[in-house]
Amino acid sequence: MSTAVVVEAPGAHRLVPHDPVAPGPGEALVGVHTVGICGSDREVYQGNRPEGYVRYPLTPGHEWSGTVQAVGAGVPEGLVGRKVVGEGFRNCQVCDRCHAGETTLCTAGYEETGFTRPGAMAATLTLPARLLHVLPDDADLTAAALLEPAACVAAAALKVNARPGERVAVVGTGTLGMFAVQFLKAASPAELLVVGSGTDREALSRRFGATGFRTKDQELTPDFDVVVETAGSASAARTAASLLRRGGRLVLTGIPAPGAEGLDPTDLVVRQLEVHTAFGAPPDAWAHAVRVFGAGLLDPLPLVTHELPLAEFSQAIELVGAGDPKVGKVLLRP
């Protein structure tokens, strides 16, 4: 019998029998191969996700990969049997932001797979087929389960528009930071610096293309064209801004706890810094991530440290929140 994880309320979950939901018009039924866990899944379980951004009871799982098993009316039959990943935001497709391609800003309100809609911590997932992105036939589905965080970084990379020969830097060495290194490396920078809170990710950073590594308490010079911030710590935004030359470009992706240090508006104006933010990934960022992955320029597997069966959801949540530098990406297999 196939199963699914259901978080009934903060701190309370159970494993329940799972029956596939037949795809309706415009939908696809996907057999889930692998599902990733991130800090936001831990927020769901602990009950500290912001109000309006979770709905209990809930089957979590927004980072996933799988194979299409069936499609509903109006969906091409050729999708059946294809390897896929899928966008999480359930945008309305008719508001002005959706028509502009900014689906993460949909004015109809927030709805997302794994947070307000059933997620992929189950044997199957049924969702609108328009959200699917088809992978190459030889794609590694375990690696592909990390394309959701990769797509979020792809959104940042597209906004900051790093050009060949520029000096670029990444602040943060978690999953998003390591993806940012790979995306920026693909832009052929003259220099690629990584700034972390410790040195445990230095070797991996250099493996992915970093030419230098510093910790945030070491001297940092303000001469970078582009900085991508992924750490989400209280001081990360200021550290990232301090690395920029005058007129440099910054994109913030981390979400710190309340009380974080804000950017100095005088500094922003006087140094004419260009600041962007990224939350989630619109379709063009997903397409970019899948394309870069298919071209072999994105290698998610070195980030994976644990693979567990779905029944060990509790252990997986504990691993994600343990603060152990040896714990990287944790995956579940339904």
Side-chain angles (χ1 to χ4, degrees):
M1 177 183 295
S2 61
T3 56
V5 170
V6 173
V7 178
E8 298 283 2
H13 83 282
R14 59 193 178 102
L15 210 63
V16 303
H18 172 74
D19 293 320
V21 176
E27 294 184 329
L29 171 68
V30 177
V32 178
H33 181 275
T34 308
V35 56
I37 294 183
C38 79
S40 55
D41 296 302
R42 184 174 171 82
E43 289 176 355
V44 167
Y45 187 67
Q46 293 181 324
N48 52 15
R49 188 161 172 83
E51 185 178 355
Y53 287 83
V54 64
R55 189 180 301 135
Y56 301 100
L58 173 71
T59 293
H62 61 286
E63 304 177 3
W64 57 269
S65 64
T67 304
V68 178
Q69 294 182 349
V71 296
V75 180
E77 287 286 343
L79 273 179
V80 176
R82 298 302 304 272
K83 296 177 178 180
V84 294
V85 290
E87 299 175 33
F89 283 79
R90 302 293 187 92
N91 44 79
C92 74
Q93 291 292 290
V94 296
C95 72
D96 61 341
R97 293 301 88 208
C98 283
H99 281 306
E102 298 174 340
T103 53
T104 59
L105 298 175
C106 177
T107 60
Y110 173 79
E111 294 285 347
E112 186 175 4
T113 299
F115 296 107
T116 63
R117 300 290 186 92
M121 291 187 190
T124 68
L125 174 65
T126 301
L127 74 167
R130 62 180 172 79
L131 299 177
L132 297 178
H133 290 261
V134 178
L135 302 171
D137 291 338
D138 61 352
D140 183 326
L141 283 176
T142 300
L146 276 69
L147 285 178
E148 192 277 340
C152 295
V153 176
L158 290 173
K159 284 189 175 184
V160 84
N161 189 28
R163 294 182 283 270
E166 290 191 311
R167 304 182 73 234
V168 302
V170 174
V171 174
T173 58
T175 298
L176 295 184
M178 294 299 94
F179 277 133
V181 172
Q182 296 182 65
F183 276 107
L184 291 175
K185 174 62 177 178
S188 301
E191 180 180 352
L192 175 46
L193 174 70
V194 175
V195 178
S197 57
T199 60
D200 53 285
R201 284 291 183 100
E202 179 174 0
L204 190 57
S205 298
R206 292 186 182 276
R207 174 178 173 178
F208 286 145
T211 59
F213 190 96
R214 296 283 187 279
T215 56
K216 60 183 181 180
D217 55 350
Q218 292 178 301
E219 183 179 357
L220 302 171
T221 57
D223 52 7
F224 287 85
D225 301 289
V226 167
V227 179
V228 176
E229 180 277 321
T230 67
S233 63
S235 60
R238 284 208 170 191
T239 298
S242 73
L243 287 164
L244 288 168
R245 63 164 174 79
R246 296 187 67 205
R249 310 190 299 284
L250 169 65
V251 61
L252 305 174
T253 70
I255 304 177
E261 299 175 8
L263 297 178
D264 180 355
T266 300
D267 181 58
L268 296 180
V269 174
V270 171
R271 292 207 291 139
Q272 300 181 61
L273 301 183
E274 183 180 321
V275 181
H276 299 270
T277 60
F279 175 66
D284 63 337
W286 271 95
H288 184 49
V290 169
R291 185 167 54 248
V292 172
F293 174 68
L297 299 174
L298 202 62
D299 185 9
L301 284 179
L303 301 173
V304 178
T305 59
H306 295 77
E307 296 183 55
L308 304 172
L310 197 63
E312 295 184 22
F313 171 76
S314 293
Q315 181 183 346
I317 289 291
E318 289 177 6
L319 284 169
V320 170
D324 185 344
K326 295 181 180 179
V327 177
K329 198 65 185 177
V330 179
L331 303 180
L332 293 176
R333 290 189 178 276

